Every structure is written in structure tokens, then in C-alpha cells.
Amino acid sequence: MAERSFYRLFCCCCYEDQAEKSPLISDTLLYFDREVKRRRAEEANLWNEPQDVSHTERDDDRDLYNLLQKRARTRRGSEGYRRLSFDISAHRQVRKDVLDRWKVLLENMGFSKEADALLAVNSNTSYKSLRSPAEARRLLSTLAQESSIFEQQTVPPERYLFVLDRLIVLDIATEFVSIAKRFYPPETLDSSEKESVEPRPAVLVSSGFEEPEAEDRDEESVEVDEENFMVNLLE
């Protein structure tokens, strides 16, 4: 006890250093926690323009952004909140359907383990990282005009420019576009014709099978993250 008291009296500098370091560690962990939540919110919304941090350059991005912003100001559990959540889910589903088509094709090409990494795009993805931007842009335009992989969207999502650039590096971009045109032909074809050429695994492959309770918990967690995300954007 005497020795401990001695250090407390004459080595105050040690205790002061520890007190100063604690907030630094806490702030660092808090920063990474916010960053993880921000990325989860972005991924859940599947923004079209990765570099558009305001998410207002494209009409569909602006619509989803406004819905999220409005829901953040609405009382949770109210009828208005549930209605907004339904509209948000509808917007997300359209984007998720497109993402799932890309994932199905990559898995059919033998890239099951790499599909998620190849399709991962967020606001930190830089245009400077593109190796072949002109070729990737050309292939993106071809997919939009000669396939239905983007459904009825007149302007293809910019996020897939980065995906195609990665496929160019792997030397499979041209093959991917060829398969996409075959499996997802233009909407001018009858639905029966389209189903006849669509890959069989496409019906079976999904992002994962989860029990309903787990999905409800995940959805609630994402909604909380989104509200924090929207508040940070507004600030």
C-alpha cells in the first residue's frame, strides 16, 4: 500500500498519460464504428453513383434519398413510417434484382467465391482506380442497349462501371457481356422466350436464406444505421 501511494504522489505523470490516452482509443473506435455503419447503410441502399455523396444527381437516387430523409423525421411505428418503409423497400428491390442478376452470371462463370468482392462498390471507390475506363464505359453502354440486365433503366447505374473495369482486368468482361445478352435478352422478346434462355441456377441462387426473425432484426438494424447516416449527411 505504501509503495502504491508513493507512485500516486510522485508519479502523477503516469496517471495523467493514461487518462489522456483513453479518449484517443475511444474516439478511434467510435470513428470506425460510424464508418462501418455508414458503409452498411450505403450498401443496403445500393447507390447508383458511388462518388455522389449527396445521392441527388440521379432521379432514382434522389427519390430514395428523399424517402429515407422523410422517414428519419417520421415517428417510428406510425402508419406514415410503415408506408415510407414499404416505398423504400420497393426502390431497394429493383436495385437488388439488378445486383442479383450480375451475381448469378458471375457464379455461372465460376466466380462464386469472388462475386461479392467483384460487385462491392461504395463511396470510397475512386474513378482514379479505373484501369480501362473507356472500354468499361463502352461495355456498360452495350449491356444497357442490348440486354435487359438493367430492366427498364435508360441510364445504367454508374456503380457497374467499376465492376466491368474489374472484369476487364480479369480478362472476362467480353465473355460476361456476351452471356448477359444471351441470358437477359432485350425486353422486345416475349417473356416465354426470355425464360427459355435464362440460366436454371438463376432461380435457385440468392444472397442467402435466413429465417424471418433474423431478417427482421437485420432490417431494423439497417434502418437505425440509415437514420444516423442521413443525419450525418444533413450535418
Side-chain angles (χ1 to χ4, degrees), residues 46 72 88 127:
L46 299 176
I88 290 170
Y127 283 93

Side-chain angles (χ1 to χ4, degrees), residues 144-159:
Q145 296 174 8
E146 301 180 19
S147 77
S148 60
I149 195 169
F150 296 119
E151 291 187 342
Q152 300 296 328
Q153 298 184 34
T154 55
V155 181
E158 190 77 358
R159 60 183 291 119

Side-chain angles (χ1 to χ4, degrees), residues 97-133:
D97 289 344
V98 175
L99 185 70
D100 286 345
R101 293 190 189 100
W102 281 71
K103 188 172 182 179
V104 164
L105 293 181
L106 289 173
E107 289 174 341
N108 276 272
M109 293 176 67
F111 291 88
S112 299
K113 296 181 179 180
E114 300 85 355
D116 289 332
L118 289 172
L119 294 170
V121 179
N122 55 52
S123 61
N124 291 329
T125 307
S126 172
Y127 283 93
K128 294 180 180 179
S129 65
L130 294 173
R131 302 286 188 86
S132 306

Side-chain angles (χ1 to χ4, degrees), residues 147-234:
S147 77
S148 60
I149 195 169
F150 296 119
E151 291 187 342
Q152 300 296 328
Q153 298 184 34
T154 55
V155 181
E158 190 77 358
R159 60 183 291 119
Y160 292 102
L161 179 71
F162 297 91
V163 179
L164 284 169
D165 187 73
R166 296 166 185 169
L167 300 187
I168 291 174
V169 173
L170 296 175
D171 198 25
I172 60 171
T174 302
E175 181 184 359
F176 179 90
V177 172
S178 178
I179 295 175
K181 290 163 61 177
R182 176 186 173 191
F183 287 161
Y184 301 105
E187 292 293 345
T188 51
L189 293 180
D190 295 336
S191 58
S192 59
E193 294 182 58
K194 181 179 177 181
E195 290 176 0
S196 64
V197 296
E198 197 158 348
R200 187 181 304 273
V203 181
L204 301 176
V205 176
S206 65
S207 57
F209 294 98
E210 298 177 354
E211 296 183 4
E213 294 183 359
E215 292 180 355
D216 293 341
R217 289 195 298 270
D218 291 343
E219 178 66 20
E220 182 178 355
S221 174
V222 170
E223 288 180 0
V224 173
D225 291 344
E226 283 172 353
E227 293 178 2
N228 295 331
F229 178 51
M230 301 306 301
V231 170
N232 291 335
L233 284 178
L234 293 175

